Amino acid sequence: MKKAIEIIIKFSDVLMLPIIFFYWINTSEIWNPVAIGLLILALLQIVIRNKILGIILATLFSFSSLFLFFALISELNDFTTFDNDALKMTLFMGVYLLFISICSGLMYYKYLNQKTLPI
């Protein structure tokens, strides 16, 4: 079990790629500059493993998760009754936000606890 957790922490940067691709697909635009920029930063982080860039990416994903949480709350206020559509949206976005939060937390743990990163 401890070995599995170490592997997940080691590959926390790679776990950000599905989040970025999911965002990119849901915007329905091929030339999305935000998604392209995030993808370039994430791939750059995977290749060079810079501690400062890792903390910046984790912070960026944490703030985006917080923003999406408040957007979800705002969207739920538009529903007059909490029906099946509201439940689906809440569950789906809740899982998505939880995944983003876990991944950014793992990145914080990885980059704040290590003095030097192995190559």
Side-chain angles (χ1 to χ4, degrees), residues 2 8 10-12 20 28 35 38-39 49-50 57 61 63 66 68 80 84 90 98 109:
K2 186 176 180 182
I8 291 173
K10 183 177 180 180
F11 292 109
S12 61
I20 296 169
S28 300
L38 284 174
L39 185 63
R49 294 185 188 170
N50 187 345
L57 276 174
F61 279 104
F63 282 138
L66 187 63
L68 288 173
T80 55
N84 196 22
T90 304
L98 183 66
Y109 180 78

Side-chain angles (χ1 to χ4, degrees), residues 17-40 43 96:
L17 292 178
I19 294 169
I20 296 169
F21 284 125
F22 180 77
Y23 163 71
W24 197 350
I25 290 169
N26 283 330
T27 58
S28 300
E29 291 185 23
I30 294 174
W31 301 110
N32 186 344
V34 174
I36 293 170
L38 284 174
L39 185 63
I40 290 171
L43 290 174
Y96 182 64

Side-chain angles (χ1 to χ4, degrees), residues 2-100:
K2 186 176 180 182
K3 188 77 167 170
I5 293 173
E6 290 174 4
I7 291 171
I8 291 173
I9 290 171
K10 183 177 180 180
F11 292 109
S12 61
D13 302 333
V14 179
L15 293 175
M16 288 293 179
L17 292 178
I19 294 169
I20 296 169
F21 284 125
F22 180 77
Y23 163 71
W24 197 350
I25 290 169
N26 283 330
T27 58
S28 300
E29 291 185 23
I30 294 174
W31 301 110
N32 186 344
V34 174
I36 293 170
L38 284 174
L39 185 63
I40 290 171
L41 285 176
L43 290 174
L44 188 64
Q45 178 60 24
I46 290 170
V47 172
I48 65 171
R49 294 185 188 170
N50 187 345
K51 185 176 182 176
I52 295 172
L53 182 60
I55 293 171
I56 289 172
L57 276 174
T59 304
L60 182 68
F61 279 104
S62 295
F63 282 138
S64 67
S65 176
L66 187 63
F67 174 76
L68 288 173
F69 173 74
F70 287 126
L72 175 64
I73 298 297
S74 174
E75 191 66 30
L76 285 176
N77 284 334
D78 292 342
F79 285 100
T80 55
T81 60
F82 195 78
D83 57 354
N84 196 22
D85 292 334
L87 179 66
K88 286 180 187 177
M89 183 177 66
T90 304
L91 290 176
F92 184 74
M93 285 305 295
V95 169
Y96 182 64
L97 292 174
L98 183 66
F99 187 68
I100 294 173

